[in-house]
Amino acid sequence: MKRTSFANWPCSVARTMDLLGDWWTPLVLREAFYGIRRFDEFQQELGIARNTLSERLRRLVEAGLLEKQVYETMPVRHEYVLTESGRDFYGVLLAMTAWGDRWLSGEAGPPVVTRHESCGHDAGAQVVCSHCGERLEWPDVTARPGPGYPPKLLARPDVRRRFGLDDAARPAESNRPAG
């Protein structure tokens, strides 16, 4: 059965989920941030099937989040190193961790904490405005079409409603999609 692709949707959430594809991919990236680089190490740490791991690593290399580097020539063996794009994914994992810590940890508390070495304190991720630094909360933001939104789609009535383009008096909650 062929998987639906969201790669061309005009939504960064959909495009990111298309890249991730399943639960293994973020876990492979998590292990890369823990310093895992070699196939056997990923396989051992995650307990993932070799064919599944091969596919996830291939996809991450193709997408430019990991880079294959030769570490042995006889026989040729590769390790997987985070690229700039891959390192930039760390904020996504931290945001997922913050949500999981709040809603899924239970009474014992978070299973893993993140120490910010610069200040020496444990820290949690927050999504903040890139302009003023204020924390972004759903009631305080509005989604609107960006420069990459396809003009042809903006002509559709349902899309115009989503972004509140036809009715300025429309309630703010209804034009707050996550993409």
Side-chain angles (χ1 to χ4, degrees), residues 26-174:
L27 295 175
V28 168
L29 287 167
R30 179 199 66 189
E31 293 305 312
F33 283 109
Y34 280 146
I36 301 300
R37 293 177 155 207
R38 297 183 180 170
F39 186 94
D40 290 338
E41 293 171 332
F42 282 110
Q43 203 275 323
Q44 180 180 338
E45 292 299 320
L46 293 170
I48 184 174
R50 296 180 74 79
N51 62 329
T52 303
L53 178 58
S54 290
E55 171 58 24
R56 297 321 174 271
L57 290 169
R58 183 196 60 73
R59 187 185 308 153
L60 289 166
V61 168
E62 256 181 33
L65 278 80
L66 293 176
E67 179 180 83
K68 275 174 81 169
Q69 294 180 352
V70 174
Y71 73 88
E72 192 174 296
T73 56
M74 293 296 246
V76 175
R77 294 182 183 223
H78 297 93
E79 59 184 9
Y80 298 87
V81 179
L82 290 160
T83 63
E84 180 180 358
S85 173
R87 290 187 301 273
D88 202 36
F89 194 80
Y90 191 62
V92 176
L93 291 179
L94 286 177
M96 291 170 65
T97 300
W99 186 88
D101 287 350
R102 179 170 181 192
W103 297 104
L104 305 174
S105 287
E107 287 184 32
V112 176
V113 293
T114 303
R115 181 178 181 82
H116 185 221
E117 295 300 333
S118 296
C119 73
H121 292 91
D122 291 344
Q126 291 187 353
V127 179
V128 300
C129 175
S130 59
H131 180 73
C132 71
E134 185 178 312
R135 185 177 175 143
L136 294 179
E137 301 280 346
W138 176 72
D140 303 324
V141 298
T142 303
R144 61 189 183 89
Y149 204 91
K152 183 176 179 180
L153 288 179
L154 280 176
R156 288 178 25 187
D158 59 321
V159 172
R160 297 188 65 73
R161 273 192 309 278
R162 167 182 282 182
F163 292 115
L165 297 176
D166 290 331
D167 184 0
R170 187 164 182 239
E173 298 83 52
S174 58

Side-chain angles (χ1 to χ4, degrees), residues 12-30:
S12 294
V13 172
R15 290 175 181 174
T16 302
M17 291 311 298
D18 189 76
L19 168 70
L20 296 178
D22 62 52
W23 58 77
W24 283 118
T25 305
L27 295 175
V28 168
L29 287 167
R30 179 199 66 189

